[in-house]
Amino acid sequence: MRTLVLDNGSFAIKCGYAEDETSARTIPNSVTRTKRTKRMYVGDLIDSSTDLSGLYYRSPFERGYLVHWDVQLAVWDRVFSSDVLGCTPNETDLMLTEPIFNLHQIQRNMDEIVFEEYGFASLVRAPTARLVEAGARDLIYGDEGRDPECVLVVDAGHAFTHVVPYHMGRQIASGVRRVDVGGRLLTNYLKETVSFRYWDMMDETFIMSAVKEKCCFVSEDFKRDIEATRGCVGRRRGGNPLGLEYVLPDFSTSRQGFIQGSQPDDIVTDSQLLPLCNERFAIPEALFHPSDIGIEQAGIHQAVVQAVAACPAEMHAVLLANIIVVGGSACLPGLRQRLQSEVQAQVSHRVRVFAPQDPVHWAWQNGCALATQSRARSWQVSKAQYEEMGAHRTIAHFGSIS
């Protein structure tokens, strides 16, 4: 019996078999429609299209929760098909992720679809943060072989950022904090800023997402850098070291575009160039100051302090020393260092922030490792048990491992 680990993110699905890490795939979790031809593409089928300008995305998720089941089923059908993973559900155990504090009706629908529609042999359903916590030992202590007593997970995902404290593998619910800033908001913020200053890119989500990933970073000293970029427009005025110019794609020789000078013999015209300067670090600053864009919430560093303060006092020092940041936004250069310095400025205990080498796939990798352990087997609910227990007891069982 094989175990399929499926990290069901709102932006992308990270999936593959626990016994074979070479089977790992990352599939866009959306149905995409092209602007010119109006064709629909499910998941990774968009990779076969050359009509990538003005794409319209339909996601299964709204505000971080799975509500559009027709879209999700279409993407899952693609993932399980012989063209991707070649999954035979009745011969496969499934480990599936869900958001923190997922709604019971969504959990019920998910369990019903997994067992009654697809017919998987068994299911483990757990929050992404739980899988991150399960792999904390290797990240924090290396090969010393002891599990950390307390871990604070900062999951900077596509829809929002969650801060989740754990003690001895158990979530401290009173300490969970959510910041409504994630990768999608940063991409939209970048689109609006660039469209106001330079080119109209409001319909170019695909391109601007690539621009964000390749060009943006988190400033260690925002005031210093904003002063340094006064009057800067790319590299064409004054040669500012923080400025650059992004070559927009033509969708024949380039699908996403590239930073000018990063590829040899690149010949471009001014009409293809997108100048970037303070946008590179002003956009990610929304993670630390959401009020700057009209979201009256604490930044992620303040959310960390609040989450720790909500836990028992004897845990504070250990939680602050074992902070793990994961998710797509954790790939932004400088985020780990900035988060550590901002939190350290507000507390007296020593602060340590860890980031895995691959923050996007870290939860999936831990799920693969966990699937071979006896602990994961105790979390499983088989199809026969689901039919015997019913939906309510299944939800309660999975709730006990969050």
Side-chain angles (χ1 to χ4, degrees), residues 77-321:
D77 287 345
R78 170 66 185 168
V79 170
F80 301 149
S81 70
S82 58
D83 293 329
V84 182
L85 291 179
C87 177
T88 305
N90 60 4
E91 299 175 0
T92 307
D93 298 324
L94 178 64
M95 180 178 289
L96 181 65
T97 64
E98 63 176 347
I100 293 290
F101 296 148
N102 200 8
L103 303 177
H104 282 186
Q105 187 57 51
I106 297 175
Q107 294 174 329
R108 179 195 294 267
N109 293 342
M110 191 175 291
D111 296 342
E112 287 179 357
I113 289 170
V114 166
F115 284 121
E116 298 179 19
E117 183 155 341
Y118 287 111
F120 277 93
S122 72
L123 172 66
V124 173
R125 175 167 49 76
T128 305
R130 184 66 182 88
L131 300 187
V132 172
E133 187 276 336
R137 179 184 65 189
D138 294 337
L139 188 62
I140 295 173
Y141 297 124
D143 298 327
E144 291 186 22
R146 59 191 181 103
D147 290 321
E149 182 179 336
C150 298
V151 175
L152 188 71
V153 177
V154 180
D155 185 4
H158 182 60
F160 41 57
T161 299
H162 267 129
V163 180
V164 189
Y166 283 92
H167 174 249
M168 303 300 290
R170 295 289 182 178
Q171 179 193 116
I172 305 174
S174 61
V176 176
R177 295 294 182 270
R178 166 173 159 166
V179 181
D180 292 331
V181 179
R184 179 176 57 195
L185 185 144
L186 296 182
T187 300
N188 291 338
Y189 185 21
L190 181 60
K191 286 194 301 183
E192 293 175 5
T193 303
V194 165
S195 298
F196 178 76
R197 296 179 179 178
Y198 310 118
W199 306 105
D200 182 5
M201 305 294 289
M202 289 303 294
D203 293 333
E204 305 297 344
T205 301
F206 177 78
I207 298 174
M208 295 313 296
S209 180
V211 172
K212 179 192 70 177
E213 293 170 5
K214 295 178 182 179
C215 301
C216 288
F217 66 93
V218 176
S219 171
E220 292 188 21
D221 188 335
F222 181 75
K223 290 183 179 180
R224 178 199 65 198
D225 288 343
I226 205 72
E227 285 294 329
T229 54
R230 285 193 181 277
C232 165
V233 181
R235 287 193 183 274
R236 287 179 289 182
R237 295 185 185 174
N240 194 293
L242 294 177
L244 55 79
E245 287 166 334
Y246 192 84
V247 182
L248 297 174
D250 56 12
F251 300 119
S252 59
T253 60
S254 173
R255 288 174 59 87
Q256 292 186 328
F258 54 91
I259 299 171
Q260 188 178 22
S262 64
Q263 298 187 12
D265 300 324
D266 50 347
I267 302 174
V268 296
T269 65
D270 281 349
S271 62
Q272 293 175 288
L273 295 179
L274 175 65
L276 295 168
C277 204
N278 63 24
E279 300 88 359
R280 297 181 63 201
F281 58 87
I283 301 303
E285 193 67 17
L287 287 165
F288 295 89
H289 297 98
S291 59
D292 290 349
I293 54 174
I295 300 177
E296 298 302 324
Q297 293 182 353
I300 60 172
H301 61 297
Q302 296 165 322
V304 166
V305 175
Q306 292 174 5
V308 172
C311 299
E314 59 270 19
M315 298 182 188
H316 291 183
V318 186
L319 285 169
L320 289 168

Side-chain angles (χ1 to χ4, degrees), residues 361-388:
H361 296 91
W362 181 248
W364 179 83
Q365 292 167 356
N366 289 336
C368 290
L370 192 63
T372 61
Q373 301 175 12
S374 58
R375 176 171 46 168
R377 291 187 175 87
S378 68
W379 295 354
Q380 282 182 345
V381 171
S382 67
K383 190 173 188 296
Q385 289 173 322
Y386 168 77
E387 293 171 349
E388 178 183 347

Side-chain angles (χ1 to χ4, degrees), residues 324-336:
I324 299 177
V325 58
V326 296
S329 296
C331 296
L332 289 168
L335 178 67
R336 184 192 67 80

